[in-house]
Amino acid sequence: MIEQDYPAYRSLGKDELSRRGQMLHQRLTSCSLCPRDCRVNRLEGELGFCRTGGSAIVSSFGPHFGEESPLVGRHGSGTVFFTNCNLGCIFCQNYDISHLGRGTPMDAAELASIFMKIQSYGCHNLNLVTPTHVIPQVINALEIALDKGFSLPVLYNCGGYESVESIRVLDGIIDIYMPDFKFMDDDIAFNLTGARNYSTHARESVKEMHKQVGDLKLSREGIAMKGLLVRHLLLPEFLSGTEKVLEFISDEISPNTYLNLMDQYYPCYLARNYENLSRRITPEEWRRAVGLARSLGLARLDGEV
């Protein structure tokens, strides 16, 4: 039964959780948490691409009802929005957080307090939004919260630009992975984010995520308990490489992957400076994407299951 290892970190044990946290924390001295590989000493206040030092910065937190239905349930997904980002899409809809840096620095005890508040609200999960650059701080806070009775499943909600080495350290800690596989063309990814080799890192990390948690599993009430959920934001003119992304998911991950094809793109932040990003997607582009998913055997589409 899935309940026997749910949430995962409680079965892992506090000592092992602490050891994993220390492993990741040590990487902050010459930061290699993500593929940017900035090699700055964040514990001494040096800043790399994510502009985040030794403390996590939180923009907001609380129940969220706009996420995928298996995450929201009746009581909401307990989101914690972390400030700054390791990707930096020029069209980010949360640019005030990811680019402009709106938020409050918090130590591990303060972050653990937020986790406990999320649990007290009755949320179905702890949804870590953009956690890639602060995962050592998150694990430190999780240790503290665990002593206080924290027991929600942990959801890793990221942009797909992950270091597979970091993801491997999270094996047995994360219950639900939710990467947004944003691009398949590395040149387009670089032009829109400055990230090199995006698709290689995304493919490797999503494979590792699926290896750890498998396809998304739901409770009898339809609540996500464990597994992989993949998002893909459709861009105008299929700039995100939708067809190849869907082929990868079907062929190399699983045709049973829970998939959210997101149609909510609109020009934000610097997007209007790019002619091919200056409009929303069309109904025809949306229908084509859904048709591609179905033709590839991807039947677990959010909103239809």
Side-chain angles (χ1 to χ4, degrees), residues 2-30:
I2 189 171
E3 289 82 357
Q4 292 176 346
D5 61 353
Y6 172 84
Y9 56 86
R10 296 185 70 88
S11 299
L12 189 67
K14 186 178 178 182
D15 288 346
E16 180 62 13
L17 184 64
S18 178
R19 187 183 75 83
R20 304 278 190 89
Q22 290 172 10
M23 288 173 61
L24 291 170
H25 197 263
Q26 180 61 34
R27 294 175 69 177
L28 293 176
T29 61
S30 179

Side-chain angles (χ1 to χ4, degrees), residues 6-10 17 71 77-78 82 115 124-129 131 135 138-139 142 145 150-157 170 172-178 213 224-227:
Y6 172 84
Y9 56 86
R10 296 185 70 88
L17 184 64
L71 304 179
S77 180
F82 291 102
F115 294 175
H124 299 287
N125 47 66
L126 174 65
N127 186 343
L128 306 170
V129 184
I135 197 61
V138 166
I139 294 178
L142 188 59
F150 185 76
S151 60
L152 290 181
V154 177
L155 190 163
Y156 191 92
N157 180 347
L170 300 179
I173 298 175
I174 303 300
D175 296 281
I176 303 167
Y177 284 105
M178 187 165 65
V213 297
M225 299 178 70
K226 180 179 180 179

Side-chain angles (χ1 to χ4, degrees), residues 158-169:
C158 68
Y161 196 47
E162 304 294 313
S163 161
V164 72
E165 290 80 10
S166 294
I167 296 298
R168 285 177 181 140
V169 178

Side-chain angles (χ1 to χ4, degrees), residues 74-289:
R74 293 181 59 191
H75 305 293
S77 180
T79 51
V80 181
F81 284 86
F82 291 102
T83 298
N84 298 326
C85 177
N86 76 317
L87 194 50
C89 301
I90 59 94
F91 52 80
C92 183
Q93 296 177 7
N94 293 323
Y95 65 89
D96 58 328
I97 303 171
S98 61
H99 287 271
L100 305 185
R102 179 173 61 83
T104 304
M106 295 190 177
D107 62 24
E110 292 170 318
L111 196 52
S113 178
I114 286 177
F115 294 175
M116 297 306 297
K117 287 179 181 178
I118 292 285
Q119 181 165 283
S120 73
Y121 298 153
C123 296
H124 299 287
N125 47 66
L126 174 65
N127 186 343
L128 306 170
V129 184
T130 322
T132 307
H133 57 302
V134 293
I135 197 61
Q137 296 90 331
V138 166
I139 294 178
N140 288 345
L142 188 59
E143 286 184 66
I144 296 171
L146 188 59
D147 279 340
K148 297 182 178 182
F150 185 76
S151 60
L152 290 181
V154 177
L155 190 163
Y156 191 92
N157 180 347
C158 68
Y161 196 47
E162 304 294 313
S163 161
V164 72
E165 290 80 10
S166 294
I167 296 298
R168 285 177 181 140
V169 178
L170 300 179
D171 188 7
I173 298 175
I174 303 300
D175 296 281
I176 303 167
Y177 284 105
M178 187 165 65
D180 182 356
F181 201 125
K182 290 182 178 290
F183 309 99
M184 192 57 88
D185 186 305
D186 284 343
D187 289 337
I188 291 175
F190 182 76
N191 288 338
L192 300 182
T193 70
R196 298 185 183 278
N197 302 315
Y198 175 91
S199 66
T200 298
H201 293 292
R203 287 195 301 265
E204 289 179 349
S205 60
V206 173
K207 284 181 179 179
E208 176 62 24
M209 292 171 185
H210 187 259
K211 177 183 175 183
Q212 291 179 19
V213 297
D215 295 331
L216 189 68
K217 302 171 184 65
L218 309 180
S219 70
R220 292 179 180 178
E221 294 75 29
I223 303 299
M225 299 178 70
K226 180 179 180 179
L228 175 70
L229 187 160
V230 178
R231 288 173 163 174
H232 177 64
L233 178 66
L234 300 177
L235 295 180
E237 301 178 21
F238 275 31
L239 284 175
S240 46
T242 297
E243 183 171 3
K244 290 183 179 180
V245 169
L246 297 180
E247 288 174 351
F248 164 76
I249 294 170
S250 179
D251 295 343
E252 300 189 47
I253 301 300
S254 167
N256 198 41
T257 299
Y258 193 103
L259 174 66
N260 184 3
L261 284 173
M262 298 187 291
D263 64 350
Q264 64 261 44
Y265 172 81
Y266 64 93
C268 284
Y269 195 45
L270 302 178
R272 292 191 183 277
N273 297 333
Y274 296 74
E275 183 177 356
N276 52 8
L277 288 175
S278 61
R279 63 168 176 85
R280 302 188 72 122
I281 69 167
T282 65
E284 175 56 32
E285 287 170 330
W286 166 248
R287 287 191 293 269
R288 180 184 167 195

